[in-house]
Amino acid sequence: MVRHAKSSWSENVGDHQRGLKERGVNDAKLVSEKAAETCKKPNKIISSDAVRAKSTATFFKDAFKITDIDFSTNSELYDFSGQNVMAVIKNLSDDLDIAMIVGHNHAFTFIANMLGNEFIENVPTSGFIQIDFDVASWQNISTGVTKLTIFPRDLK
């Protein structure tokens, strides 16, 4: 899972339309490249349809060389509590061994702590978390193992 990169407040647009700050662009590039070097390629990337999340997801799509067919948006990931995010995760196709979701806090910090086995105070912008589950179906996930975190501050 990836929290969207640092967003810009400089434009007079609604929350859903906010783009990325320059720092967000730089951090997303840094973290996506490190993730692609370190992790197995996801079968699919699913992003919130908010501009800042889609923009962030595109850096990961490019770094992992994901095709357009394996990249999608889901408005249910534009969620800040985590309930809709969990529904998206539990409804993933069981054909997917590795899925990446891109979205928002506070939902992602909540989900990372609920599903992972390491406490994370706050998933920072551009933060990447890999959680592994030993189940055959996404519907059956509960607590997994937090295998890896990649946060921008750790790469600078």
Side-chain angles (χ1 to χ4, degrees), residues 4-156:
H4 68 77
K6 188 75 173 166
S7 60
S8 173
W9 292 86
S10 64
E11 300 173 35
N12 188 17
V13 296
D15 184 67
H16 212 86
Q17 304 307 318
R18 283 191 291 123
L20 299 179
K21 286 183 84 137
E22 183 178 347
R23 182 182 124 201
V25 168
N26 294 336
D27 287 352
K29 284 180 185 175
L30 196 63
V31 173
S32 64
E33 289 167 2
K34 182 66 172 178
E37 287 173 16
T38 311
C39 303
K40 290 183 181 175
K41 178 179 178 176
N43 304 114
K44 187 166 189 80
I45 296 176
I46 307 163
S47 174
S48 158
D49 60 351
V51 170
R52 61 192 181 275
K54 283 190 297 190
S55 298
T56 303
T58 299
F59 288 107
F60 285 85
K61 176 183 181 264
D62 294 346
F64 278 105
K65 297 177 177 42
I66 300 292
T67 62
D68 288 344
I69 199 131
D70 294 321
F71 181 85
S72 65
T73 61
N74 185 324
S75 62
E76 294 297 309
L77 291 174
Y78 184 69
D79 174 30
F80 304 95
S81 69
Q83 191 170 9
N84 293 342
V85 173
M86 279 306 299
V88 169
I89 293 169
K90 292 214 174 234
N91 286 299
L92 288 170
S93 170
D94 291 334
D95 295 342
L96 302 174
D97 292 324
I98 304 170
M100 179 183 290
I101 58 172
V102 181
H104 309 269
N105 249 2
H106 297 282
F108 273 38
T109 295
F110 174 75
I111 299 290
N113 287 316
M114 183 175 77
L115 296 179
N117 67 337
E118 290 181 22
F119 177 74
I120 298 170
E121 174 114 15
N122 179 54
V123 176
T125 52
S126 296
F128 171 93
I129 299 156
Q130 177 186 335
I131 302 173
D132 290 356
F133 303 97
D134 188 17
V135 294
S137 174
W138 289 99
Q139 282 186 308
N140 298 328
I141 65 167
S142 58
T143 303
V145 176
T146 305
K147 284 292 207 182
L148 178 67
T149 60
I150 304 173
F151 298 160
R153 66 178 173 255
D154 301 329
L155 302 175
K156 294 178 181 179

